[in-house]
Amino acid sequence: MRLGVVLLLTAWLVACRSAAPPPPPSLTELLAGIPQGRVRVVDLTHAHREGIPAWPGDAKPFEARIQARAEQAGYFSRSFCTLEHFGTHMDAPVHFPPGKTTVDAIPPTRLFGPAVVLDVTAQARENADYLLTPADIERWETAHGAIPAGAIVLLRTGWAARWPDEQAYRNQDSAGVMHFPGFSVEAVRRLIERRVSGLGIDTLSIDHGPSQTFEAHRVSHGADLFHLENLADLSALPPTGAFLIAAPVKLEGGSGGPARVFAILPE
């Protein structure tokens, strides 16, 4: 495991020498903080299957069919059909503004980066529609230092505890309006100034549930940031010190797609 992690991070550093943004200092800190290579890997991905929470109105978001059974054909195989934005997935920048980057064209070096975890679980317990504010970001930076360029910023709301109960996860009122936390436009603009690579959240959307215009999507995608949505429980991750790997399906021309997301952190 030690050799594999070192090779992975070394390759990322080499690739970043000719790419923007430059490699963030916290990557060196991460390597120094892994004594004798002892690390653990946290899977931040919900299993992709039928029956998990979907966006309201999405018809048949997932279907799997058995094509061959080992008992008859000697091997087991399935086909599956899924929406691009279902389960744990990545939104590519082209998801909203036309002409932006498709999921297959996101530079691989941007899919790796230090994880910045902003925890608003207490606020979300008091207000299901809570929006991350610039003041929340400033408090994090006062405690942990400036958010580095190339970081992937994860908003922990505690909503993953409601998975896979679709009713609790969507949290719709009698009018059908959903209620869950998200990023404010002002916070997104502050993170764009920090030159982060992407945003992630443990809810259905980086915009909070009541949003009808999805301005946080429009602003962040307009700046070429990607999103990771429906992340699994983020409680094992420290505010800083973890390294994130986001691996979406390389779907040509896609607005997004299912993603496997891992965090590597010292034991």
Side-chain angles (χ1 to χ4, degrees), residues 29-158:
E29 295 168 2
L30 176 68
L31 285 169
I34 302 177
Q36 300 179 3
R38 292 195 298 269
V39 299
R40 62 188 176 114
V41 178
V42 179
D43 191 347
L44 302 177
T45 317
H46 293 296
H48 214 73
R49 62 172 176 84
E50 187 176 359
I52 58 176
W55 193 262
D58 281 348
K60 211 168 192 177
F62 181 84
E63 181 182 26
R65 292 184 178 181
I66 295 177
Q67 301 297 307
R69 297 181 184 273
E71 296 83 355
Q72 289 82 35
Y75 64 94
F76 175 55
S77 178
R78 300 193 311 172
S79 65
F80 71 92
C81 178
T82 189
L83 297 177
E84 291 180 337
H85 303 275
F86 176 67
T88 302
H89 67 274
M90 178 176 287
D91 291 354
V94 77
H95 185 34
F96 271 73
K100 288 293 181 177
T101 308
T102 56
V103 70
D104 56 308
I106 297 173
T109 52
R110 296 192 63 204
L111 303 178
F112 301 78
V116 165
V117 182
L118 301 172
D119 191 341
V120 296
T121 53
Q123 295 94 318
R125 279 194 295 268
E126 297 296 322
N127 175 14
D129 297 329
Y130 186 78
L131 286 167
L132 180 75
T133 67
D136 292 324
I137 296 171
E138 289 167 9
R139 280 191 290 272
W140 189 96
E141 291 188 315
T142 298
H144 305 289
I147 293 174
I152 301 173
V153 178
L154 307 180
L155 186 59
R156 181 188 173 212
T157 72

Side-chain angles (χ1 to χ4, degrees), residues 169-235:
Y169 197 71
R170 287 178 174 174
N171 197 28
Q172 289 173 287
D173 61 25
S174 59
V177 177
M178 294 187 291
H179 297 277
F180 53 77
F183 289 79
S184 71
V185 171
E186 296 76 17
V188 169
R189 290 194 173 116
R190 187 67 56 88
L191 294 170
I192 290 169
E193 291 173 0
R194 302 296 189 268
R195 298 171 66 203
V196 303
S197 288
L199 310 176
I201 195 166
D202 55 0
T203 70
L204 278 165
S205 170
I206 69 150
D207 279 279
H208 72 167
S211 178
Q212 298 296 312
T213 58
F214 307 105
E215 287 304 309
H217 271 78
R218 297 180 191 281
V219 171
S220 58
H221 283 335
D224 218 38
L225 273 61
F226 62 77
H227 305 159
L228 299 167
E229 295 174 333
N230 293 325
L231 290 170
D233 184 13
L234 299 171
S235 62

